[in-house]
Amino acid sequence: ERGPPAPAERAALAILGGTCVTPVAVLASLDGDELAVRGQIVLLDGSKFVESRAQGPAAEAERLGAMVGAALRRRAPPGFFGT
């Protein structure tokens, strides 16, 4: 995919890391020149989830994605990322 959504999603996932079995989701959607980025992490048993969102100019896609990834990492339950 080309355009602002892909770099935003990649930036968030790069900060979150994780593995193929880490329940992480990131979706960026473009509406004109505005980009909305939504991310979510979920415990494997589904007992807890954390969400984060950011919205701003599409030209700042990577920054918006990084903001979402960083917020999710900060708010993750203890041990979520194996740390």
Side-chain angles (χ1 to χ4, degrees):
E1 182 179 334
R2 297 186 322 157
E9 293 166 353
R10 284 194 297 265
L13 292 171
I15 288 174
L16 292 171
T19 68
C20 293
V21 297
T22 306
V24 173
V26 179
L27 176 66
S29 56
L30 189 59
D31 184 10
D33 290 334
E34 282 288 303
L35 185 69
V37 184
R38 177 180 171 212
Q40 184 179 75
I41 57 175
V42 183
L43 287 179
L44 285 174
D45 66 3
S47 64
K48 183 173 175 91
F49 69 93
V50 177
E51 290 184 323
S52 181
R53 297 171 189 247
Q55 187 168 339
E60 298 180 10
E62 287 186 42
R63 184 184 69 82
L64 295 169
M67 287 172 51
V68 169
L72 290 172
R73 186 163 271 287
R74 276 192 315 273
R75 297 173 49 213
F80 184 85
F81 292 100
T83 56

